[in-house]
């Protein structure tokens, strides 16, 4: 099943790259009308702003030309590249792992926060707050080697289904963003994920789904330790300690620490992305800062302020004040998910 899904994603990515390359070649030849390089985006100011930025920054000799090594584009993941409602997908993974591991832990039947997870008591679980979720993450994300944890993530993605759409979670990536990632790479931008999600949770699948390799994923991370097994095999084991939180101000810190270049292009969707966009905007020359505004309750979800997941409040005000680009999902995206194209 995972192999089939991977093959489909690879074909989809190849198709997108071919479409972009064909469009760019046609646009460069006299007498040819320019192909639609972002076909899932409705025509309008947002689409024109994106295309104009890419054209300006990649035109040699132009005032806004950006040298290839400096073409860094950073994207948040949850709510920016795929759906994040009704809970962040990594939390859904952790809750499912509690149920899968419960037979080994009979004490969980009466011990919080695990009792609430096993009873599907979401109200009680919510009342336990951040402390409860941290206990769940510690119990389900640590003690494994990095390889074993990556396999657990891929096994879950191959079988788990989103509660509303009844589809694999990796089906709920945004088709317009897949096109944008492909277009940026066709124009020699290096695309990165900079997410508050766990780095070990994202790295096993981002290359297959987004075309972003694991070394270009920046995320929250825990401590890992080197261990030499009895048979002489070295492994890295995940410990229940937080090393780095890649959210809010941490995103700017993470970009500096792990990428080493300030982005010229950045996209987010929530208050947790504000500092990444501010850091991008503070550089010299042409800059693009974008926010995805979730406005489509019919095809996806509609939320902004307040929202327990993906709150867009302070960053929204900042975007309006600074003139950043705001994508209205309902009006700017003709298609949201790849499966709508079938």
């Amino acid at each position: 099943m995972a192999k089939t899904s991977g093959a489909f994603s690879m074909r989809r990515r190849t198709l997108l790259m071919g479409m972009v390359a064909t469009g760019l070649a046609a646009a460069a030849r006299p007498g040819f009308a320019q192909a639609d390089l972002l076909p899932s985006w409705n025509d309008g100011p947002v689409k024109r702003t994106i295309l104009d930025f890419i054209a300006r920054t990649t035109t040699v000799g132009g005032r806004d030309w950006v040298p290839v090594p400096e073409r860094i584009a950073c994207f948040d993941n949850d709510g920016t590249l795929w759906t994040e409602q009704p809970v962040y997908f990594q939390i859904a993974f952790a809750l499912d792992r509690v149920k899968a591991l419960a037979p080994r832990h009979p004490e969980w039947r009466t011990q919080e926060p695990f009792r609430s997870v096993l009873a599907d008591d979401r109200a009680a679980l919510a009342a336990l707050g951040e402390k409860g979720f941290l206990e769940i993450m510690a119990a389900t994300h640590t003690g494994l080697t990095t390889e074993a944890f990556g396999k657990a993530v891929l096994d879950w993605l191959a079988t788990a289904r989103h509660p509303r759409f009844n589809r694999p979670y990796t089906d709920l990536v945004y088709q317009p963003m897949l096109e944008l990632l492909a277009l940026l790479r066709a124009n020699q931008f290096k695309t990165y994920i900079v997410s508050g999600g766990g780095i070990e949770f994202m790295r096993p699948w981002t290359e297959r789904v987004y075309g972003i390799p694991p070394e270009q994923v920046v995320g929250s991370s825990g401590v890992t330790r080197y261990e030499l097994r009895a048979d002489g095999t070295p492994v890295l084991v995940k410990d229940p300690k937080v090393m780095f939180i890649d959210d809010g101000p941490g995103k700017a810190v993470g970009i500096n620490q792990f990428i080493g270049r300030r982005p010229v292009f950045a996209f987010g969707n929530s208050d947790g992305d504000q500092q990444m966009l501010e850091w991008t905007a503070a550089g010299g020359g042409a800059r693009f800062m974008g926010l995805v505004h979730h406005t489509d309750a019919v095809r996806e979800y509609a939320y902004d302020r307040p929202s327990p997941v993906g709150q867009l409040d302070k960053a929204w005000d900042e975007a309006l004040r600074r003139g950043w680009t705001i994508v209205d999902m309902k009006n700017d995206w003709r298609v949201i998910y790849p499966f709508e194209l079938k």
Side-chain angles (χ1 to χ4, degrees):
M1 185 171 186
K3 288 184 179 179
T4 302
S5 176
F8 172 75
S9 296
M10 186 65 72
R11 288 195 299 271
R12 180 175 65 201
R13 199 160 65 246
T14 302
L15 178 63
L16 280 172
M17 290 301 294
M19 174 189 71
V20 170
T22 301
L24 289 172
R29 299 206 308 268
F32 283 81
Q34 182 167 342
D36 190 346
L37 303 180
L38 296 174
S40 295
W41 296 69
N42 287 323
D43 291 331
V46 169
K47 182 175 181 177
R48 288 196 296 270
T49 297
I50 293 172
L51 292 175
D52 176 67
F53 177 85
I54 295 173
R56 287 188 292 109
T57 55
T58 58
T59 300
V60 178
R63 183 183 62 183
D64 294 322
W65 179 72
V66 175
V68 171
E70 297 175 19
R71 294 179 195 175
I72 304 298
C74 292
F75 289 78
D76 169 56
N77 184 46
D78 296 313
T80 300
L81 295 180
W82 72 350
T83 291
E84 62 184 353
Q85 296 282 354
V87 297
Y88 298 117
F89 293 173
Q90 188 171 357
I91 290 180
F93 164 72
L95 297 179
D96 283 350
R97 274 192 63 76
V98 167
K99 296 173 183 178
L101 296 173
R104 305 181 201 172
H105 299 275
E107 71 278 9
W108 284 359
R109 289 196 295 266
T110 57
Q111 178 185 336
E112 292 290 8
F114 310 104
R115 185 206 66 81
S116 295
V117 176
L118 297 174
D120 285 321
D121 190 341
R122 296 301 175 94
L125 193 59
L128 294 170
E130 183 179 358
K131 180 177 181 295
F133 279 110
L134 287 175
E135 288 184 44
I136 290 169
M137 300 292 273
T140 58
H141 284 50
T142 61
L144 296 172
T145 66
T146 50
E147 288 84 358
F149 183 78
K151 182 180 184 302
V153 171
L154 292 176
D155 288 347
W156 179 77
L157 288 172
T159 57
R161 294 295 182 270
H162 187 274
R164 172 180 168 184
F165 295 100
N166 193 31
R167 285 181 170 272
Y169 285 90
T170 48
D171 277 5
L172 302 181
V173 297
Y174 299 139
Q175 177 66 23
M177 286 307 206
L178 294 178
E179 294 169 2
L180 177 55
L181 289 169
L183 179 59
L184 287 167
R185 288 193 288 265
N187 282 275
Q188 296 181 284
F189 280 82
K190 202 168 185 178
T191 54
Y192 289 84
I193 288 175
V194 180
S195 172
I199 196 168
E200 303 289 354
F201 175 77
M202 293 182 289
R203 281 180 168 173
W205 54 269
T206 57
E207 187 163 27
R208 172 174 60 86
V209 174
Y210 300 135
I212 298 177
E215 66 270 20
Q216 289 168 218
V217 176
V218 180
S220 298
S221 53
V223 172
T224 57
R225 58 184 167 81
Y226 179 88
E227 182 178 292
L228 196 62
R229 292 286 169 86
D231 63 358
T233 302
V235 294
L236 293 176
V237 179
K238 291 171 60 61
D239 279 348
K241 299 176 183 177
V242 174
M243 183 174 72
F244 177 69
I245 299 295
D246 190 53
D247 197 34
K251 290 200 173 187
V253 174
I255 289 170
N256 179 69
Q257 183 172 349
F258 298 106
I259 300 175
R261 290 185 185 271
R262 191 192 304 257
V264 298
F265 189 105
F267 238 118
N269 80 294
S270 72
D271 287 356
D273 303 310
Q274 180 176 337
Q275 289 80 8
M276 176 174 72
L277 300 181
E278 290 172 344
W279 178 246
T280 301
R287 302 276 150 172
F288 179 94
M289 289 66 60
L291 281 170
V292 176
H293 186 196
H294 295 262
T295 57
D296 199 325
V298 175
R299 295 186 298 170
E300 203 238 14
Y301 295 91
Y303 58 97
D304 41 51
R305 48 179 164 196
S307 175
V309 176
Q311 176 174 289
L312 179 58
D313 182 19
K314 294 179 180 178
W316 168 265
D317 292 335
E318 189 77 351
L320 293 176
R321 185 177 72 83
R322 290 174 173 250
W324 296 343
T325 299
I326 299 175
V327 175
D328 183 314
M329 183 179 283
K330 183 176 181 180
N331 294 318
D332 289 320
W333 286 357
R334 182 179 65 82
V335 169
I336 291 184
Y337 299 121
F339 57 79
E340 295 176 47
L341 298 174
K342 295 181 181 179

